[in-house]
Amino acid sequence: MSITDNIKRLKSETSLLDVNLIAVSKTKPIEDLQEAYNSGQRRFGENMVQELVEKQEKLPKDIEWHLIGHLQTNKVKYIAPFISLIESVDSIKLLAEINKHAEKNNRVIDCLLQIYIADEETKYGLGFDEAIDLLRSKEFISLKHVRIRGLMGIATHTDNEKQIKEEFYELKTFFDGIKQSFFWKESFFDTLSMGMSSDYKIAIEQGSNMVRLGSTIFGTRAKI
Ligand SMILES: *Cc1c(COP(=O)(O)O)cnc(C)c1O
């Protein structure tokens, strides 16, 4: 299957369900992204700032770029002028830095809080209590140049479908609670990003409305 075929198939699968498809193009060459673009794909996700910036410079400007990997505070300035969504906010310190650079660029940057749901110590993200503390903090309320659009989570890398399902269920339940408690008046709090190539069908069943697909679109990546 070509990238074009994959995009077409996944687009029809997801658009019927009102699920946003993010093409995760990390490690893939520009030509692959261009092919996906030519098939109509406009939303791309990358996990490294430098790679994202290089690709953004070379590709059409109507692409919406999502940062989906851990972001260091000293790199925010490189993506602040153009990034559409930072999906991986995992501290108030990072959010404050994003706010600062958004203000410099005269814009508001959309963000998701990354929530830790996996049973793996290597994954980043806020615990449920930490996310609540962040949203309650005086500092957060003072940030006028960031907008929290929703939550993102990565399930455990496992064949145990029951476990994956439970992790996504927990995140959806938490999302609904956060919406009720903090964003009940804000229609912009609408994004629950969960699901990758191996588990996106389970994620959609559990209420995801944004899936981040890499290998299903572009083929497997070389291990780095
Ligand atoms: C790499 C990556 C993906 C896509 O992974 P695939 O298994 O190739 O679909 C999704 N989300 C995040 C955060 C990633 O780093």
Side-chain angles (χ1 to χ4, degrees):
M1 290 279 257
S2 69
I3 293 171
T4 304
D5 293 336
N6 293 335
I7 294 276
K8 289 204 172 124
R9 176 173 49 85
L10 290 163
K11 267 220 182 302
S12 65
E13 244 178 75
T14 51
S15 62
L16 278 173
L17 302 163
D18 254 327
V19 173
N20 246 309
L21 172 63
I22 310 303
V24 175
S25 47
K26 62 191 185 195
T27 78
K28 296 295 174 181
I30 290 285
E31 301 77 60
D32 287 10
L33 284 78
Q34 186 68 54
E35 182 176 344
Y37 180 89
N38 294 344
S39 327
Q41 183 64 27
R42 291 294 179 273
R43 299 191 171 109
F44 290 81
E46 290 280 338
N47 66 341
M48 308 277 277
V49 166
Q50 194 184 337
E51 186 177 345
L52 195 164
V53 170
E54 283 171 17
K55 287 173 172 172
Q56 190 269 340
E57 284 168 358
K58 291 186 185 136
L59 285 161
K61 295 299 171 267
D62 62 339
I63 289 178
E64 260 186 39
W65 292 97
H66 291 202
L67 185 81
I68 60 170
H70 183 64
L71 177 57
Q72 288 170 299
T73 49
N74 61 351
K75 300 210 168 142
V76 173
K77 57 176 178 283
Y78 301 115
I79 57 170
F82 66 86
I83 197 80
S84 287
L85 184 65
I86 299 177
E87 297 203 20
S88 44
V89 172
D90 56 6
S91 70
I92 184 72
K93 183 167 159 252
L94 175 60
L95 201 57
E97 191 69 13
I98 297 168
N99 185 76
K100 186 176 106 189
H101 289 282
E103 185 167 12
K104 276 190 191 162
N105 285 277
N106 238 322
R107 60 188 296 242
V108 172
I109 296 183
D110 281 346
C111 298
L112 304 180
L113 297 181
Q114 181 174 352
I115 307 296
Y116 180 87
I117 51 170
D119 192 13
E120 282 168 39
E121 290 192 357
T122 52
K123 303 239 156 99
Y124 289 100
L126 296 156
F128 293 138
D129 291 346
E130 290 172 316
I132 291 170
D133 288 347
L134 185 156
L135 293 169
R136 279 199 185 131
S137 68
K138 282 215 178 74
E139 185 170 15
F140 170 67
I141 293 160
S142 73
L143 304 178
K144 301 297 177 212
H145 291 265
V146 288
R147 185 167 72 157
I148 303 294
R149 294 290 308 268
L151 307 178
M152 184 271 256
I154 306 173
T156 304
H157 186 69
T158 173
D159 291 333
N160 184 344
E161 289 196 3
K162 183 163 168 283
Q163 182 179 352
I164 296 170
K165 188 171 162 180
E166 280 168 7
E167 290 173 0
F168 286 148
Y169 175 82
E170 273 186 39
L171 185 56
K172 169 67 161 86
T173 305
F174 186 64
F175 174 85
D176 292 341
I178 291 291
K179 172 134 186 89
Q180 286 247 321
S181 316
F182 295 94
F183 298 99
W184 52 282
K185 279 193 267 180
E186 331 274 22
S187 57
F188 61 75
F189 188 89
D190 61 2
T191 303
L192 180 56
S193 174
M194 56 184 200
M196 328 194 342
S197 293
S198 57
D199 57 20
Y200 75 94
K201 288 185 182 160
I202 304 174
I204 293 172
E205 276 168 22
Q206 294 306 316
S208 166
N209 59 21
M210 182 173 283
V211 293
R212 310 174 308 272
L213 304 186
S215 43
T216 322
I217 296 174
F218 296 105
T220 50
R221 286 179 300 275
K223 287 262 186 299
I224 23 170

PDB file of all heavy atoms in Angstrom, residues 121-149:
ATOM      1  N   GLU A 121       7.663   3.618  32.990  1.00  0.00           N
ATOM      2  CA  GLU A 121       8.305   4.787  33.590  1.00  0.00           C
ATOM      3  C   GLU A 121       8.953   5.719  32.579  1.00  0.00           C
ATOM      4  O   GLU A 121       9.237   6.871  32.871  1.00  0.00           O
ATOM      5  CB  GLU A 121       9.343   4.334  34.619  1.00  0.00           C
ATOM      6  CG  GLU A 121       8.660   3.732  35.829  1.00  0.00           C
ATOM      7  CD  GLU A 121       9.572   3.516  37.002  1.00  0.00           C
ATOM      8  OE1 GLU A 121      10.778   3.789  36.860  1.00  0.00           O
ATOM      9  OE2 GLU A 121       9.067   3.075  38.036  1.00  0.00           O
ATOM     10  N   THR A 122       9.181   5.207  31.366  1.00  0.00           N
ATOM     11  CA  THR A 122       9.881   6.023  30.378  1.00  0.00           C
ATOM     12  C   THR A 122       9.008   7.104  29.763  1.00  0.00           C
ATOM     13  O   THR A 122       9.506   8.001  29.109  1.00  0.00           O
ATOM     14  CB  THR A 122      10.382   5.136  29.224  1.00  0.00           C
ATOM     15  OG1 THR A 122       9.287   4.366  28.758  1.00  0.00           O
ATOM     16  CG2 THR A 122      11.490   4.210  29.680  1.00  0.00           C
ATOM     17  N   LYS A 123       7.710   7.032  29.941  1.00  0.00           N
ATOM     18  CA  LYS A 123       6.841   7.988  29.268  1.00  0.00           C
ATOM     19  C   LYS A 123       6.703   9.276  30.073  1.00  0.00           C
ATOM     20  O   LYS A 123       6.700   9.266  31.291  1.00  0.00           O
ATOM     21  CB  LYS A 123       5.471   7.355  29.027  1.00  0.00           C
ATOM     22  CG  LYS A 123       5.582   6.055  28.212  1.00  0.00           C
ATOM     23  CD  LYS A 123       4.822   6.081  26.909  1.00  0.00           C
ATOM     24  CE  LYS A 123       5.383   5.102  25.900  1.00  0.00           C
ATOM     25  NZ  LYS A 123       4.653   3.845  25.822  1.00  0.00           N
ATOM     26  N   TYR A 124       6.569  10.380  29.351  1.00  0.00           N
ATOM     27  CA  TYR A 124       6.382  11.684  29.985  1.00  0.00           C
ATOM     28  C   TYR A 124       4.908  11.925  30.273  1.00  0.00           C
ATOM     29  O   TYR A 124       4.044  11.202  29.790  1.00  0.00           O
ATOM     30  CB  TYR A 124       6.867  12.793  29.051  1.00  0.00           C
ATOM     31  CG  TYR A 124       8.354  12.858  28.876  1.00  0.00           C
ATOM     32  CD1 TYR A 124       8.972  12.323  27.754  1.00  0.00           C
ATOM     33  CD2 TYR A 124       9.146  13.469  29.849  1.00  0.00           C
ATOM     34  CE1 TYR A 124      10.350  12.396  27.593  1.00  0.00           C
ATOM     35  CE2 TYR A 124      10.521  13.546  29.689  1.00  0.00           C
ATOM     36  CZ  TYR A 124      11.115  13.006  28.565  1.00  0.00           C
ATOM     37  OH  TYR A 124      12.460  13.087  28.409  1.00  0.00           O
ATOM     38  N   GLY A 125       4.634  12.960  31.024  1.00  0.00           N
ATOM     39  CA  GLY A 125       3.252  13.372  31.210  1.00  0.00           C
ATOM     40  C   GLY A 125       2.946  13.715  32.648  1.00  0.00           C
ATOM     41  O   GLY A 125       3.679  13.377  33.562  1.00  0.00           O
ATOM     42  N   LEU A 126       1.839  14.434  32.823  1.00  0.00           N
ATOM     43  CA  LEU A 126       1.367  14.819  34.150  1.00  0.00           C
ATOM     44  C   LEU A 126       0.493  13.712  34.716  1.00  0.00           C
ATOM     45  O   LEU A 126      -0.297  13.105  33.977  1.00  0.00           O
ATOM     46  CB  LEU A 126       0.516  16.080  34.042  1.00  0.00           C
ATOM     47  CG  LEU A 126       1.188  17.361  33.560  1.00  0.00           C
ATOM     48  CD1 LEU A 126       0.149  18.304  32.951  1.00  0.00           C
ATOM     49  CD2 LEU A 126       1.910  18.039  34.725  1.00  0.00           C
ATOM     50  N   GLY A 127       0.605  13.476  36.006  1.00  0.00           N
ATOM     51  CA  GLY A 127      -0.356  12.611  36.672  1.00  0.00           C
ATOM     52  C   GLY A 127      -1.692  13.343  36.778  1.00  0.00           C
ATOM     53  O   GLY A 127      -1.757  14.552  36.574  1.00  0.00           O
ATOM     54  N   PHE A 128      -2.765  12.622  37.097  1.00  0.00           N
ATOM     55  CA  PHE A 128      -4.079  13.263  37.196  1.00  0.00           C
ATOM     56  C   PHE A 128      -4.047  14.416  38.195  1.00  0.00           C
ATOM     57  O   PHE A 128      -4.535  15.509  37.918  1.00  0.00           O
ATOM     58  CB  PHE A 128      -5.147  12.234  37.601  1.00  0.00           C
ATOM     59  CG  PHE A 128      -5.412  11.176  36.559  1.00  0.00           C
ATOM     60  CD1 PHE A 128      -5.583   9.856  36.930  1.00  0.00           C
ATOM     61  CD2 PHE A 128      -5.516  11.496  35.205  1.00  0.00           C
ATOM     62  CE1 PHE A 128      -5.851   8.862  35.974  1.00  0.00           C
ATOM     63  CE2 PHE A 128      -5.771  10.521  34.246  1.00  0.00           C
ATOM     64  CZ  PHE A 128      -5.938   9.202  34.638  1.00  0.00           C
ATOM     65  N   ASP A 129      -3.465  14.168  39.369  1.00  0.00           N
ATOM     66  CA  ASP A 129      -3.439  15.225  40.396  1.00  0.00           C
ATOM     67  C   ASP A 129      -2.596  16.420  39.961  1.00  0.00           C
ATOM     68  O   ASP A 129      -2.949  17.569  40.228  1.00  0.00           O
ATOM     69  CB  ASP A 129      -2.869  14.680  41.714  1.00  0.00           C
ATOM     70  CG  ASP A 129      -3.816  13.681  42.346  1.00  0.00           C
ATOM     71  OD1 ASP A 129      -4.985  13.615  41.914  1.00  0.00           O
ATOM     72  OD2 ASP A 129      -3.375  12.962  43.268  1.00  0.00           O
ATOM     73  N   GLU A 130      -1.484  16.126  39.297  1.00  0.00           N
ATOM     74  CA  GLU A 130      -0.624  17.221  38.831  1.00  0.00           C
ATOM     75  C   GLU A 130      -1.340  18.096  37.799  1.00  0.00           C
ATOM     76  O   GLU A 130      -1.178  19.322  37.788  1.00  0.00           O
ATOM     77  CB  GLU A 130       0.654  16.659  38.189  1.00  0.00           C
ATOM     78  CG  GLU A 130       1.610  16.026  39.178  1.00  0.00           C
ATOM     79  CD  GLU A 130       2.761  15.320  38.480  1.00  0.00           C
ATOM     80  OE1 GLU A 130       2.528  14.605  37.478  1.00  0.00           O
ATOM     81  OE2 GLU A 130       3.906  15.484  38.947  1.00  0.00           O
ATOM     82  N   ALA A 131      -2.110  17.461  36.927  1.00  0.00           N
ATOM     83  CA  ALA A 131      -2.846  18.231  35.921  1.00  0.00           C
ATOM     84  C   ALA A 131      -3.866  19.145  36.601  1.00  0.00           C
ATOM     85  O   ALA A 131      -4.011  20.323  36.232  1.00  0.00           O
ATOM     86  CB  ALA A 131      -3.538  17.286  34.945  1.00  0.00           C
ATOM     87  N   ILE A 132      -4.543  18.621  37.609  1.00  0.00           N
ATOM     88  CA  ILE A 132      -5.538  19.429  38.334  1.00  0.00           C
ATOM     89  C   ILE A 132      -4.844  20.589  39.054  1.00  0.00           C
ATOM     90  O   ILE A 132      -5.308  21.730  38.989  1.00  0.00           O
ATOM     91  CB  ILE A 132      -6.328  18.536  39.318  1.00  0.00           C
ATOM     92  CG1 ILE A 132      -7.224  17.580  38.512  1.00  0.00           C
ATOM     93  CG2 ILE A 132      -7.161  19.375  40.283  1.00  0.00           C
ATOM     94  CD1 ILE A 132      -7.868  16.482  39.335  1.00  0.00           C
ATOM     95  N   ASP A 133      -3.716  20.299  39.694  1.00  0.00           N
ATOM     96  CA  ASP A 133      -2.971  21.369  40.381  1.00  0.00           C
ATOM     97  C   ASP A 133      -2.550  22.464  39.403  1.00  0.00           C
ATOM     98  O   ASP A 133      -2.634  23.650  39.705  1.00  0.00           O
ATOM     99  CB  ASP A 133      -1.726  20.807  41.078  1.00  0.00           C
ATOM    100  CG  ASP A 133      -2.084  19.975  42.305  1.00  0.00           C
ATOM    101  OD1 ASP A 133      -3.258  20.050  42.753  1.00  0.00           O
ATOM    102  OD2 ASP A 133      -1.202  19.247  42.799  1.00  0.00           O
ATOM    103  N   LEU A 134      -2.088  22.042  38.235  1.00  0.00           N
ATOM    104  CA  LEU A 134      -1.677  23.020  37.222  1.00  0.00           C
ATOM    105  C   LEU A 134      -2.852  23.930  36.851  1.00  0.00           C
ATOM    106  O   LEU A 134      -2.729  25.154  36.837  1.00  0.00           O
ATOM    107  CB  LEU A 134      -1.143  22.283  35.988  1.00  0.00           C
ATOM    108  CG  LEU A 134      -0.547  23.115  34.851  1.00  0.00           C
ATOM    109  CD1 LEU A 134       0.429  22.264  34.032  1.00  0.00           C
ATOM    110  CD2 LEU A 134      -1.599  23.696  33.914  1.00  0.00           C
ATOM    111  N   LEU A 135      -3.996  23.318  36.570  1.00  0.00           N
ATOM    112  CA  LEU A 135      -5.149  24.103  36.122  1.00  0.00           C
ATOM    113  C   LEU A 135      -5.693  25.008  37.226  1.00  0.00           C
ATOM    114  O   LEU A 135      -6.297  26.048  36.947  1.00  0.00           O
ATOM    115  CB  LEU A 135      -6.254  23.166  35.609  1.00  0.00           C
ATOM    116  CG  LEU A 135      -5.892  22.403  34.322  1.00  0.00           C
ATOM    117  CD1 LEU A 135      -6.909  21.303  34.040  1.00  0.00           C
ATOM    118  CD2 LEU A 135      -5.815  23.359  33.132  1.00  0.00           C
ATOM    119  N   ARG A 136      -5.466  24.623  38.480  1.00  0.00           N
ATOM    120  CA  ARG A 136      -5.922  25.449  39.613  1.00  0.00           C
ATOM    121  C   ARG A 136      -4.957  26.556  39.966  1.00  0.00           C
ATOM    122  O   ARG A 136      -5.297  27.452  40.732  1.00  0.00           O
ATOM    123  CB  ARG A 136      -6.053  24.566  40.851  1.00  0.00           C
ATOM    124  CG  ARG A 136      -7.316  23.787  40.896  1.00  0.00           C
ATOM    125  CD  ARG A 136      -7.577  23.332  42.330  1.00  0.00           C
ATOM    126  NE  ARG A 136      -8.735  22.477  42.360  1.00  0.00           N
ATOM    127  CZ  ARG A 136      -8.770  21.297  42.958  1.00  0.00           C
ATOM    128  NH1 ARG A 136      -7.702  20.839  43.609  1.00  0.00           N
ATOM    129  NH2 ARG A 136      -9.869  20.590  42.935  1.00  0.00           N
ATOM    130  N   SER A 137      -3.729  26.487  39.454  1.00  0.00           N
ATOM    131  CA  SER A 137      -2.692  27.398  39.946  1.00  0.00           C
ATOM    132  C   SER A 137      -2.934  28.839  39.477  1.00  0.00           C
ATOM    133  O   SER A 137      -3.483  29.078  38.399  1.00  0.00           O
ATOM    134  CB  SER A 137      -1.311  26.913  39.487  1.00  0.00           C
ATOM    135  OG  SER A 137      -1.185  27.047  38.086  1.00  0.00           O
ATOM    136  N   LYS A 138      -2.500  29.771  40.330  1.00  0.00           N
ATOM    137  CA  LYS A 138      -2.605  31.198  39.984  1.00  0.00           C
ATOM    138  C   LYS A 138      -1.810  31.493  38.732  1.00  0.00           C
ATOM    139  O   LYS A 138      -2.192  32.292  37.898  1.00  0.00           O
ATOM    140  CB  LYS A 138      -2.037  32.042  41.133  1.00  0.00           C
ATOM    141  CG  LYS A 138      -2.961  32.197  42.305  1.00  0.00           C
ATOM    142  CD  LYS A 138      -2.764  33.608  42.913  1.00  0.00           C
ATOM    143  CE  LYS A 138      -3.707  33.838  44.077  1.00  0.00           C
ATOM    144  NZ  LYS A 138      -3.281  33.080  45.291  1.00  0.00           N
ATOM    145  N   GLU A 139      -0.653  30.826  38.635  1.00  0.00           N
ATOM    146  CA  GLU A 139       0.204  31.083  37.484  1.00  0.00           C
ATOM    147  C   GLU A 139      -0.525  30.720  36.187  1.00  0.00           C
ATOM    148  O   GLU A 139      -0.516  31.496  35.231  1.00  0.00           O
ATOM    149  CB  GLU A 139       1.523  30.306  37.589  1.00  0.00           C
ATOM    150  CG  GLU A 139       2.454  30.674  36.441  1.00  0.00           C
ATOM    151  CD  GLU A 139       3.863  30.137  36.583  1.00  0.00           C
ATOM    152  OE1 GLU A 139       4.086  29.238  37.424  1.00  0.00           O
ATOM    153  OE2 GLU A 139       4.726  30.598  35.823  1.00  0.00           O
ATOM    154  N   PHE A 140      -1.179  29.585  36.163  1.00  0.00           N
ATOM    155  CA  PHE A 140      -1.887  29.176  34.945  1.00  0.00           C
ATOM    156  C   PHE A 140      -2.948  30.207  34.561  1.00  0.00           C
ATOM    157  O   PHE A 140      -3.061  30.590  33.398  1.00  0.00           O
ATOM    158  CB  PHE A 140      -2.538  27.802  35.115  1.00  0.00           C
ATOM    159  CG  PHE A 140      -3.455  27.458  33.981  1.00  0.00           C
ATOM    160  CD1 PHE A 140      -2.951  27.245  32.708  1.00  0.00           C
ATOM    161  CD2 PHE A 140      -4.835  27.403  34.171  1.00  0.00           C
ATOM    162  CE1 PHE A 140      -3.798  26.967  31.642  1.00  0.00           C
ATOM    163  CE2 PHE A 140      -5.690  27.129  33.105  1.00  0.00           C
ATOM    164  CZ  PHE A 140      -5.170  26.908  31.849  1.00  0.00           C
ATOM    165  N   ILE A 141      -3.688  30.653  35.540  1.00  0.00           N
ATOM    166  CA  ILE A 141      -4.774  31.586  35.248  1.00  0.00           C
ATOM    167  C   ILE A 141      -4.244  32.901  34.663  1.00  0.00           C
ATOM    168  O   ILE A 141      -4.914  33.569  33.888  1.00  0.00           O
ATOM    169  CB  ILE A 141      -5.627  31.808  36.527  1.00  0.00           C
ATOM    170  CG1 ILE A 141      -6.348  30.481  36.840  1.00  0.00           C
ATOM    171  CG2 ILE A 141      -6.644  32.922  36.364  1.00  0.00           C
ATOM    172  CD1 ILE A 141      -6.838  30.362  38.265  1.00  0.00           C
ATOM    173  N   SER A 142      -2.979  33.232  34.987  1.00  0.00           N
ATOM    174  CA  SER A 142      -2.409  34.482  34.479  1.00  0.00           C
ATOM    175  C   SER A 142      -1.889  34.365  33.038  1.00  0.00           C
ATOM    176  O   SER A 142      -1.519  35.361  32.422  1.00  0.00           O
ATOM    177  CB  SER A 142      -1.263  34.928  35.399  1.00  0.00           C
ATOM    178  OG  SER A 142      -0.135  34.082  35.185  1.00  0.00           O
ATOM    179  N   LEU A 143      -1.845  33.165  32.480  1.00  0.00           N
ATOM    180  CA  LEU A 143      -1.258  32.987  31.143  1.00  0.00           C
ATOM    181  C   LEU A 143      -2.303  33.274  30.057  1.00  0.00           C
ATOM    182  O   LEU A 143      -3.244  32.497  29.887  1.00  0.00           O
ATOM    183  CB  LEU A 143      -0.707  31.573  30.982  1.00  0.00           C
ATOM    184  CG  LEU A 143       0.328  31.114  32.023  1.00  0.00           C
ATOM    185  CD1 LEU A 143       0.743  29.663  31.764  1.00  0.00           C
ATOM    186  CD2 LEU A 143       1.545  32.028  32.031  1.00  0.00           C
ATOM    187  N   LYS A 144      -2.116  34.360  29.360  1.00  0.00           N
ATOM    188  CA  LYS A 144      -3.145  34.769  28.387  1.00  0.00           C
ATOM    189  C   LYS A 144      -2.817  34.377  26.946  1.00  0.00           C
ATOM    190  O   LYS A 144      -3.623  34.586  26.046  1.00  0.00           O
ATOM    191  CB  LYS A 144      -3.334  36.300  28.445  1.00  0.00           C
ATOM    192  CG  LYS A 144      -3.760  36.811  29.806  1.00  0.00           C
ATOM    193  CD  LYS A 144      -5.123  36.250  30.215  1.00  0.00           C
ATOM    194  CE  LYS A 144      -5.526  36.706  31.600  1.00  0.00           C
ATOM    195  NZ  LYS A 144      -6.341  35.698  32.311  1.00  0.00           N
ATOM    196  N   HIS A 145      -1.656  33.834  26.721  1.00  0.00           N
ATOM    197  CA  HIS A 145      -1.252  33.527  25.338  1.00  0.00           C
ATOM    198  C   HIS A 145      -1.148  32.023  25.056  1.00  0.00           C
ATOM    199  O   HIS A 145      -0.555  31.624  24.065  1.00  0.00           O
ATOM    200  CB  HIS A 145       0.051  34.251  24.984  1.00  0.00           C
ATOM    201  CG  HIS A 145      -0.131  35.735  24.891  1.00  0.00           C
ATOM    202  ND1 HIS A 145      -0.367  36.392  23.707  1.00  0.00           N
ATOM    203  CD2 HIS A 145      -0.168  36.692  25.857  1.00  0.00           C
ATOM    204  CE1 HIS A 145      -0.519  37.676  23.937  1.00  0.00           C
ATOM    205  NE2 HIS A 145      -0.402  37.888  25.231  1.00  0.00           N
ATOM    206  N   VAL A 146      -1.704  31.225  25.960  1.00  0.00           N
ATOM    207  CA  VAL A 146      -1.839  29.796  25.682  1.00  0.00           C
ATOM    208  C   VAL A 146      -3.299  29.414  25.921  1.00  0.00           C
ATOM    209  O   VAL A 146      -3.985  30.026  26.731  1.00  0.00           O
ATOM    210  CB  VAL A 146      -0.926  28.917  26.580  1.00  0.00           C
ATOM    211  CG1 VAL A 146       0.514  29.054  26.178  1.00  0.00           C
ATOM    212  CG2 VAL A 146      -1.122  29.230  28.054  1.00  0.00           C
ATOM    213  N   ARG A 147      -3.736  28.437  25.158  1.00  0.00           N
ATOM    214  CA  ARG A 147      -5.114  27.978  25.303  1.00  0.00           C
ATOM    215  C   ARG A 147      -5.082  26.456  25.375  1.00  0.00           C
ATOM    216  O   ARG A 147      -4.568  25.797  24.468  1.00  0.00           O
ATOM    217  CB  ARG A 147      -5.904  28.446  24.081  1.00  0.00           C
ATOM    218  CG  ARG A 147      -7.369  28.144  24.143  1.00  0.00           C
ATOM    219  CD  ARG A 147      -8.122  28.905  23.083  1.00  0.00           C
ATOM    220  NE  ARG A 147      -7.867  28.358  21.753  1.00  0.00           N
ATOM    221  CZ  ARG A 147      -8.690  28.508  20.718  1.00  0.00           C
ATOM    222  NH1 ARG A 147      -9.803  29.202  20.852  1.00  0.00           N
ATOM    223  NH2 ARG A 147      -8.395  27.988  19.549  1.00  0.00           N
ATOM    224  N   ILE A 148      -5.630  25.923  26.458  1.00  0.00           N
ATOM    225  CA  ILE A 148      -5.651  24.461  26.612  1.00  0.00           C
ATOM    226  C   ILE A 148      -6.859  23.912  25.845  1.00  0.00           C
ATOM    227  O   ILE A 148      -8.002  24.150  26.225  1.00  0.00           O
ATOM    228  CB  ILE A 148      -5.723  24.045  28.101  1.00  0.00           C
ATOM    229  CG1 ILE A 148      -4.547  24.631  28.894  1.00  0.00           C
ATOM    230  CG2 ILE A 148      -5.750  22.512  28.224  1.00  0.00           C
ATOM    231  CD1 ILE A 148      -3.187  24.104  28.502  1.00  0.00           C
ATOM    232  N   ARG A 149      -6.557  23.177  24.774  1.00  0.00           N
ATOM    233  CA  ARG A 149      -7.614  22.634  23.920  1.00  0.00           C
ATOM    234  C   ARG A 149      -8.096  21.270  24.387  1.00  0.00           C
ATOM    235  O   ARG A 149      -9.127  20.778  23.921  1.00  0.00           O
ATOM    236  CB  ARG A 149      -7.104  22.495  22.473  1.00  0.00           C
ATOM    237  CG  ARG A 149      -6.785  23.814  21.762  1.00  0.00           C
ATOM    238  CD  ARG A 149      -8.039  24.593  21.444  1.00  0.00           C
ATOM    239  NE  ARG A 149      -9.023  23.795  20.729  1.00  0.00           N
ATOM    240  CZ  ARG A 149      -9.112  23.725  19.408  1.00  0.00           C
ATOM    241  NH1 ARG A 149      -8.285  24.407  18.653  1.00  0.00           N
ATOM    242  NH2 ARG A 149     -10.055  22.986  18.836  1.00  0.00           N
TER     243      ARG A 149
END
